[in-house]
């Protein structure tokens, strides 16, 4: 009877247990399988920005209510007034529009430094990754240079190259080029050996394989390297402009900090962020145009 009762109990409980065991994985996978529509993704992406803005507005209102002349957390109206003056009112001494003069000077330095780093990364990265003798000769040096803090070289660059534009551009190039070289070299070394063997079978020489095989495969990764290098490049640019410069976004931020002019500093930081986001977006579009095969269409 006990065995029979146990059998009945197991028979009755068995399907229920099996049902629970089947339902548990579904509950665990429900979050990772859920799709997000464009509208919901836009809403979720906006929420963190809205939370930061609300927190800032609340803190600013509290400080200004206690002290209307407080400079630490200026109101949006104060920041817009200062930003508008810098963008539209000519400087009394030079006659320039300060915001646009600073932006032009900084972007010239940034693009020149990143452009030099990109050319170096493309040429050395392909050579190191594709030619074994070059790899044995240069890879140890590049590996060592990668671990040198670029800002530690700033005094040396100013002593050797002076306080002009050359030192600032060189700092940006030296700061981002070694890491880009290693990344491109690794991407080249990851190319399937079958592709190289087929190219050699078809009679391709080294130069032809570089142009027809390596470069098309490397270009999407090169653009990604440039996108990743923009953040450090901005850091090196601002550091160089803060130490030795008479114009530039970094120079202006460090110039007005002694007066606690947060109504200028915060808009300049937001302006730098906007420029960085726009540059990143343009690089993404360029990658889609040059290498559409590297960006498959998402179905979800």
């Amino acid at each position: 009877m006990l065995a029979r009762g146990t059998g009945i109990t197991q028979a009755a409980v068995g399907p229920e247990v099996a049902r629970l065991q089947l339902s548990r994985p579904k509950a665990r996978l429900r979050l990772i399988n859920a799709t997000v529509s464009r509208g919901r993704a836009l809403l979720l992406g906006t929420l963190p920005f809205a939370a930061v803005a609300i927190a800032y507005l609340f803190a600013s209102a509290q400080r200004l209510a206690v002290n209307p002349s407080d400079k630490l957390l200026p109101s949006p109206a104060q920041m817009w007034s200062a930003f508008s003056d810098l963008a539209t009112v000519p400087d009394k001494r030079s006659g320039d529009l300060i915001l646009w003069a600073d932006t032009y000077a900084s972007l010239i330095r940034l693009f020149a430094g990143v452009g030099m780093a990109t050319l170096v990364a493309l040429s050395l990265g392909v050579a190191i990754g594709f030619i074994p003798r070059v790899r044995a000769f240069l890879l140890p040096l590049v590996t060592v240079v990668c671990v040198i803090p670029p800002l530690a070289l700033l005094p040396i660059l100013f002593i050797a190259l002076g306080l002009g534009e050359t030192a600032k551009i060189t700092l940006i190039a030296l700061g981002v080029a070694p890491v880009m070289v290693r990344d491109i070299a690794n991407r080249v070394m990851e190319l399937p050996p079958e592709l190289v063997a087929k190219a050699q079978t078809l009679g391709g020489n080294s130069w032809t394989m570089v142009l027809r095989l390596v470069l098309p495969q490397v270009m999407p990764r090169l653009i990604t390297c440039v996108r990743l290098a923009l953040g450090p490049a901005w850091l090196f640019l601002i550091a160089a402009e803060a130490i030795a410069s008479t114009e530039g976004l970094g120079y202006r931020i460090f110039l007005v900090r002694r007066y606690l002019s947060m109504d200028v500093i915060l808009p300049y930081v937001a302006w730098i962020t906007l420029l960085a986001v726009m540059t990143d977006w343009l690089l993404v579009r360029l990658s889609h145009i040059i290498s559409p095969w590297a960006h498959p269409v998402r179905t979800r």
Side-chain angles (χ1 to χ4, degrees):
M1 294 295 294
L2 181 61
R4 186 180 303 172
T6 304
I8 293 173
T9 304
Q10 291 176 350
V13 176
E16 186 66 24
V17 173
R19 214 175 294 117
L20 290 174
Q21 291 176 347
L22 290 176
S23 64
R24 286 176 182 173
K26 292 181 180 179
R28 293 176 182 175
L29 296 176
R30 190 173 299 161
L31 290 176
I32 64 174
N33 289 334
T35 59
V36 181
S37 63
R38 286 190 175 182
R40 183 171 296 180
L42 180 61
L43 175 62
L44 292 175
T46 306
L47 287 178
F49 295 96
V52 173
I54 292 173
Y56 178 86
L57 291 175
F58 177 79
S60 176
Q62 292 292 323
R63 292 188 66 93
L64 292 176
V66 176
N67 181 14
S69 61
D70 182 75
K71 295 184 177 181
L72 184 60
L73 295 177
S75 66
Q78 292 172 329
M79 290 189 290
W80 175 253
S81 176
F83 187 78
S84 178
D85 290 342
L86 292 172
T88 59
V89 179
D91 183 50
K92 295 180 180 179
R93 185 182 63 179
S94 63
D96 297 329
L97 299 176
I98 293 179
L99 174 65
W100 305 116
D102 290 340
T103 302
Y104 176 79
S106 294
L107 290 182
I108 290 295
R109 295 162 184 158
L110 179 75
F111 292 153
V114 175
M116 289 176 54
T118 303
L119 293 177
V120 172
L122 182 61
S123 55
L124 290 185
V126 170
I128 292 173
F130 201 61
I131 304 174
R133 292 182 178 178
V134 177
R135 185 185 313 148
F137 179 66
L138 290 180
L139 186 58
L141 176 63
V142 173
T143 303
V144 172
V145 174
C146 281
V147 299
I148 300 177
L151 291 180
L153 302 176
L154 188 57
I156 300 175
L157 294 177
F158 282 153
I159 294 173
L161 302 177
L163 302 179
E165 301 299 312
T166 305
K168 302 179 184 66
I169 295 173
T170 304
L171 174 66
I172 298 172
L174 288 178
V176 300
V179 177
M180 295 175 65
V181 170
R182 287 185 64 183
D183 200 351
I184 296 300
N186 290 333
R187 179 66 184 92
V188 174
M189 288 187 288
E190 290 173 358
L191 291 177
E194 296 81 4
L195 292 179
V196 180
K198 289 179 180 180
Q200 291 176 335
T201 303
L202 294 175
N205 54 28
S206 299
W207 184 247
T208 302
M209 286 189 288
V210 168
L211 293 179
R212 304 293 297 275
L213 174 63
V214 177
L215 285 182
Q217 295 290 327
V218 164
M219 288 307 296
R221 186 60 195 175
L222 179 65
I223 295 178
T224 301
C225 287
V226 176
R227 293 177 60 196
L228 295 175
L230 282 177
W234 275 106
L235 172 63
F236 302 139
L237 170 67
I238 293 174
E241 290 181 341
I243 295 176
S245 184
T246 57
E247 58 182 354
L249 298 173
Y251 162 77
R252 195 66 53 187
I253 290 175
F254 278 82
L255 177 67
V256 301
R257 70 182 175 87
R258 67 185 67 176
Y259 308 111
L260 300 178
S261 299
M262 295 296 289
D263 55 342
V264 175
I265 294 176
L266 291 178
Y268 259 60
V269 172
W271 179 244
I272 292 173
T273 304
L274 178 61
L275 293 175
V277 170
M278 291 175 58
T279 306
D280 183 79
W281 182 82
L282 291 175
L283 288 172
V284 172
R285 299 310 307 165
L286 179 63
S287 181
H288 279 270
I289 295 172
I290 294 178
S291 305
W293 55 268
H295 306 277
V297 179
R298 296 182 181 179
T299 57
R300 294 179 59 181

